[in-house]
Amino acid sequence: MTFPRDGRENRPDWCGEEEWALRLQLAATYHVFDHLGWIESIFNHITVRVPGPEAHYLINPFGLNYNEVTASNLIRIDLDGHAHSPSRHPVNRAGFVIHSAIHAARPDAHCIVHTHTDTGMAVACKDSGISYDNFYGAQLYGRVAYHEFEGITVHAEEQPRLVASLGDKSILVLRNHGLLVAEESLPKAFWLAWTLQRACDVQCAAESHAGASRGLAAAVRKAAAHDGEHFDPTGALGRTMLDAAIRRMEMARAGLHVDFRQ
């Protein structure tokens, strides 16, 4: 079984090694999201803070599908929306409004994920929001905030309210809109986004069946949330999950499989 080369040899002169490694990981993540179906035409974003003194982050070029994103066409942008890397593509105004506000207000939020999945949007449209009564939802107990829908997020005056709604949480349910995750790294954001998406999938499936749902006690929810967040104190689980997802995506595209007889 072989995989494509790691891409380090493709680094352009204008990009440093540390940023290029981050670009490679982010581009791969966009392709994973495409493989998982967590896409919305040319909309939505995964942004990652670029290491260094400037408040710059990487964002996907507006107009490209997720599976067209590459390490070199990701746009390095500042908090005012100015590009700092070569690009012939614009930046989505709605993506800039949401992501720049949170990156500016939360220095710990090095990665922000925003999705419009079917079940995520469905849960965002429910008064009750996220259910903490399934295996994945329980792990999110106490970590979810909510923001009321104000229309398409293209107006800068909504930014302070977005930030206030998120507070110090890692998850923001955008009411009647979608889901958002803010985490300290791309792998941790992927891990949390995956857990959040599974919680919404299971919740929607459970609510589609007749009969009463079985609730969990607050103490059980708290324990599940603590254990879920601290399951891997080294912080390596997110990277392990993301690497596995990248391998799965690459194998599916190449039609490869692992021979279990070896």
Side-chain angles (χ1 to χ4, degrees):
M1 182 175 59
T2 60
F3 294 101
R5 57 187 183 273
D6 61 20
R8 285 179 292 182
E9 70 279 6
N10 297 329
R11 180 174 62 88
D13 294 338
W14 49 263
C15 184
E17 290 186 5
E18 189 174 16
E19 179 181 337
W20 186 247
L22 194 59
R23 284 173 171 268
L24 289 169
Q25 187 182 61
L26 179 56
T29 304
Y30 272 105
H31 285 246
V32 166
F33 273 48
D34 177 81
H35 177 66
L36 294 172
W38 299 351
I39 54 175
E40 183 82 337
S41 183
I42 59 172
F43 304 101
N44 295 165
H45 308 278
I46 312 165
T47 56
V48 176
R49 173 75 182 267
V50 178
E54 307 94 347
H56 292 176
Y57 58 96
L58 300 173
I59 192 169
N60 52 312
F62 188 48
L64 297 186
N65 296 300
Y66 273 19
N67 62 359
E68 295 175 307
V69 172
T70 67
S72 59
N73 69 27
L74 286 162
I75 305 174
R76 179 171 176 159
I77 194 172
D78 62 26
L79 295 175
D80 294 318
H82 301 127
H84 292 265
S85 62
S87 179
R88 58 187 179 88
H89 299 280
V91 173
N92 183 10
R93 173 67 181 172
F96 167 73
V97 168
I98 295 174
H99 290 248
S100 64
I102 297 172
H103 277 298
R106 287 277 301 272
D108 63 313
H110 287 189
C111 180
I112 300 169
V113 175
H114 175 43
T115 60
H116 283 181
T117 60
D118 289 353
T119 57
M121 294 183 76
V123 169
C125 290
K126 302 285 284 187
D127 274 341
S128 55
I130 299 289
S131 168
Y132 303 113
D133 294 325
N134 67 64
F135 179 82
Y136 295 105
Q139 296 178 46
L140 307 177
Y141 187 67
R143 304 180 67 186
V144 182
Y146 293 85
H147 178 70
E148 293 299 325
F149 185 64
E150 299 186 23
I152 301 174
T153 47
V154 294
H155 304 290
E157 56 266 28
E158 187 178 354
Q159 290 181 310
R161 293 187 291 276
L162 270 167
V163 169
S165 294
L166 177 62
D168 62 353
K169 305 295 186 185
S170 297
I171 295 170
L172 183 64
V173 175
L174 301 162
R175 295 281 195 182
N176 308 91
H177 181 172
L179 306 175
L180 184 142
V181 168
E183 263 294 356
E184 64 183 26
S185 70
L186 176 54
K188 287 194 71 173
F190 174 76
W191 173 18
L192 186 56
W194 185 86
T195 304
L196 175 61
Q197 183 58 45
R198 289 293 292 140
C200 291
D201 291 344
V202 174
Q203 179 177 338
C204 288
E207 291 179 354
S208 71
H209 290 274
S213 294
R214 191 171 185 84
L216 295 174
V220 174
R221 293 172 172 176
K222 289 179 181 178
H226 178 274
D227 292 343
E229 188 172 6
H230 299 89
F231 180 80
D232 177 22
T234 68
L237 180 60
R239 180 59 187 264
T240 303
M241 287 183 66
L242 179 55
D243 287 348
I246 293 170
R247 292 196 308 273
R248 186 184 182 97
M249 176 265 297
E250 289 180 328
M251 285 190 286
R253 288 181 173 181
L256 299 174
H257 68 279
V258 176
D259 188 351
F260 65 87
R261 299 174 184 86
Q262 294 181 352

